[in-house]
Amino acid sequence: MDNEMTTTSGGCGAVAPAAEVTKSAASFRANLDVLETDDEFLVLADVPGSTSDQIDINFEDGTLSVCAGVKARRATGFKRLIQEYGVGEFVRSLRLGEGIDSAKISAELKDGVLTLRLPKAETAKPRTIKVQMAS
């Protein structure tokens, strides 16, 4: 694997680096960390306010796209004085290059953090080659 991983904002519609007002809501660039071990890449994406049924993850042609919806908070019995909570979608796309075992990609959401495990294909994993003594 070439271990090249590039990121873009996009993959779930029109996206801006910070926030862009669209017809119905804003799109936000999900902040993320990417970690690597010998066996996998680990992507941690911040998607506060999203639930698992509001998250769409696709892997196609070496690109992983994440789109996570955020619904408006509904406070009943209160007069809203200030609203800073963002409503819309978190989006992010990663160009992964070769060597990901796409059949084994998994995702988990906990405390507003989406964890994606991207296992490396066997051919992309580092290996040690033992040298034999010639006779």
Side-chain angles (χ1 to χ4, degrees):
M1 173 165 165
D2 57 14
N3 287 342
E4 180 179 317
M5 186 175 291
T6 58
T7 65
T8 61
S9 54
C12 296
V15 180
E20 173 183 290
V21 177
T22 61
K23 291 182 223 171
S24 61
S27 293
F28 302 95
R29 184 174 163 243
N31 292 325
L32 55 84
D33 295 328
V34 180
L35 310 168
E36 181 180 12
T37 68
D38 288 344
D39 297 322
E40 69 181 351
F41 290 101
L42 189 66
V43 177
L44 305 170
D46 293 334
V47 292
S50 291
T51 60
S52 60
D53 61 332
Q54 296 171 308
I55 299 174
D56 183 27
I57 302 168
N58 294 299
F59 183 75
E60 185 176 344
D61 296 326
T63 299
L64 179 76
S65 298
V66 176
C67 182
V70 179
K71 293 183 181 176
R73 293 180 182 165
R74 301 284 185 228
T76 56
F78 294 92
K79 179 180 175 184
R80 189 175 306 274
L81 301 175
I82 298 173
Q83 179 175 349
E84 296 180 337
Y85 181 75
V87 177
E89 296 178 328
F90 290 100
V91 292
R92 199 65 183 262
S93 292
L94 301 171
R95 179 78 184 136
L96 301 173
E98 302 299 319
I100 299 295
D101 188 346
S102 62
K104 294 182 181 175
I105 293 174
S106 64
E108 178 181 294
L109 179 65
K110 182 178 180 185
D111 298 330
V113 178
L114 177 65
T115 301
L116 296 161
R117 294 187 174 279
L118 310 168
K120 294 180 181 179
E122 288 300 319
T123 57
K125 293 180 184 177
R127 62 187 183 115
T128 303
I129 300 166
K130 185 172 177 147
V131 177
Q132 302 290 326
M133 290 296 293
S135 44

